[in-house]
Amino acid sequence: MTQTFTVDNQYGLVLTKLDLFFRQKDSGNLPVAIHLRPVEEGKPSSTTIVPDSHVWLNPSQVTAIGLDPQLSTIQANPTTFTFDEPVFLQPWTTYAIVVTSQSTEYELFSAKTKETVYGSTSRTVTTQPAPGGLYLPQSGRNWVESKDQDLMY
């Protein structure tokens, strides 16, 4: 899966780490990885990866929060992906955070407009929490946007 975001300033952005929030992780030894890609023609590039943006974590390095947490519990337990060296992102450019694994057990938290906030029975998500789009992979090469949904990062 992938989440897009835009560097919306004239100076660019230097990333040293990225936090994601996992509901569950692999019960064996299969790692999870992230990397960054530029967005081309509205979708994550299928060929270009931002240099030095690959990070792999083993399941023992991933914090899995569980199936029915409160929002405050989720926010207090990120899994941090730290880049080996700072990654510079160009100004006024849209990028994608790409999350991959050979395991089907990893699950990430996301928010969808008009759905209930985690741990609440009455509060709903009224707007997208971040500009950008969540894309789900189809056959490994194509990306399909999941409307009104964003990854928690």
Side-chain angles (χ1 to χ4, degrees), residues 124-143:
T124 58
V125 178
T126 56
T127 60
Q128 282 187 274
L134 178 67
Y135 291 82
L136 303 175
Q138 298 295 316
S139 59
R141 291 185 159 250
N142 299 319
W143 299 98

Side-chain angles (χ1 to χ4, degrees), residues 65-147:
I65 299 163
L67 298 178
D68 223 5
Q70 299 291 318
L71 182 58
S72 59
T73 303
I74 299 168
Q75 292 170 327
N77 291 284
T79 294
T80 302
F81 291 80
T82 303
F83 299 109
D84 287 338
E85 55 188 72
V87 175
F88 178 72
L89 302 179
Q90 296 291 327
W92 311 116
T93 304
T94 301
Y95 291 92
I97 303 163
V98 180
V99 183
T100 61
S101 179
Q102 291 184 344
S103 172
T104 58
E105 293 182 63
Y106 286 102
E107 287 185 25
L108 288 156
F109 284 98
S110 64
K112 191 167 189 174
T113 306
K114 299 183 182 174
E115 287 191 355
T116 306
V117 172
Y118 289 105
S120 173
T121 56
S122 59
R123 287 184 20 202
T124 58
V125 178
T126 56
T127 60
Q128 282 187 274
L134 178 67
Y135 291 82
L136 303 175
Q138 298 295 316
S139 59
R141 291 185 159 250
N142 299 319
W143 299 98
V144 175
E145 187 173 10
S146 180
K147 297 285 185 188

